[in-house]
Amino acid sequence: MSTQDVLDKQQISAYLKDLPHWREVPGAISAVYQSTTAAQSIELLSEIAGAAELDQHHPDVDWRYNKIFVTTTSHDAGGRVTTRDIALAAKISERAEALGISAQPELIGVVEIAIDTADRKAIGAQWAAGLGYKEASDGSLVDPNHRLPSIWFQETSTPNPNRLHVDFWVPHSASGAVLDALKGAGAELDGESAPSFTVATDSQGNRFCVCTEQDR
């Protein structure tokens, strides 16, 4: 693989303008397709498998009744988006449209667990051992089977008393509805770093960050 295959954020954004089904998520691009029946979802799943085998580039796919959740990244490029991901995404979109299956980008979401720490190296191996995770190139911990939430360490000299919080990544286009729901449920919102992320705090002091691909 040539290093020229790896795309920076600006290049990803440019490509995604021509791929309206897809959104950027941490280290990958994602889409969600919703069919009318489970059988139609299986048909799309088969089409995705065929495209992946043809390209020898395989996405992570989660089938849930009439919905197909698809995420593609280049693991051999350190979990970054490459031109191969863009090419595969285009083929998947074409097959979904040919089957009359609609995209639901507002359903795209990625959960990460963040841990405040003054010394990531002091605890990283313990978390990896307990969960069976592997360390990624950016120092985060990831499930080798790409099923469970990743863990990243927010290094700070002043860790929050509640050191663990959840980061929920959603497309910027869908973040307004999430923030409105949080506000309506009584959460306190801190939008100082929006649209990159907004910190929500519940009535017991637990934090919840809504993150988007914007201003990264």
Side-chain angles (χ1 to χ4, degrees):
M1 184 203 73
S2 168
T3 56
Q4 293 180 345
D5 289 335
V6 177
L7 303 175
D8 61 29
K9 186 168 183 60
Q10 186 175 3
Q11 291 172 316
I12 294 170
S13 296
Y15 275 115
L16 292 186
K17 289 179 181 178
D18 296 323
L19 293 170
H21 298 174
W22 296 80
R23 299 291 187 272
E24 183 183 2
V25 297
I29 55 176
S30 267
V32 180
Y33 294 97
Q34 181 170 324
S35 62
T36 54
T37 65
Q40 195 179 32
S41 290
I42 295 173
E43 190 174 3
L44 176 58
L45 187 60
S46 177
E47 291 285 340
I48 293 172
E53 281 295 294
L54 187 64
D55 286 2
Q56 282 299 294
H57 189 58
H58 300 87
D60 293 331
V61 183
D62 184 5
W63 167 42
R64 300 298 173 112
Y65 177 52
N66 67 336
K67 296 181 180 68
I68 297 287
F69 298 79
V70 192
T71 299
T72 179
T73 186
S74 295
H75 298 294
D76 59 353
R80 291 178 289 176
V81 177
T82 67
T83 53
R84 290 170 294 159
D85 298 300
I86 298 298
L88 181 60
K91 291 179 181 179
I92 292 172
S93 290
E94 289 175 2
R95 284 157 172 74
E97 290 175 350
L99 292 171
I101 297 175
S102 63
Q104 302 290 331
E106 69 277 6
L107 298 181
I108 296 170
V110 174
V111 172
E112 293 182 327
I113 299 171
I115 302 174
D116 279 6
T117 177
D119 186 356
R120 175 182 63 81
K121 293 182 179 180
I123 61 173
Q126 297 165 32
W127 282 88
L131 297 171
Y133 277 23
K134 294 183 178 180
E135 183 172 337
S137 58
D138 63 358
S140 63
L141 301 179
V142 296
D143 174 12
N145 296 309
H146 317 298
R147 291 179 56 252
L148 304 177
S150 61
I151 293 177
W152 72 278
F153 300 95
Q154 182 168 283
E155 292 200 271
T156 172
S157 59
T158 57
N160 190 279
N162 187 346
R163 293 190 177 212
L164 274 70
H165 70 269
V166 171
D167 284 350
F168 182 43
W169 288 82
V170 296
H172 180 251
S173 58
S175 61
V178 176
L179 295 175
D180 287 345
L182 280 166
K183 188 175 181 179
E188 178 183 339
L189 302 182
D190 178 356
E192 181 178 352
S193 299
S196 178
F197 65 92
T198 299
V199 180
T201 304
D202 69 17
S203 56
Q204 295 181 0
N206 302 298
R207 294 179 300 156
F208 177 106
C209 290
V210 178
C211 307
T212 80
E213 75 282 8
Q214 294 293 308
D215 291 347
R216 291 279 165 178

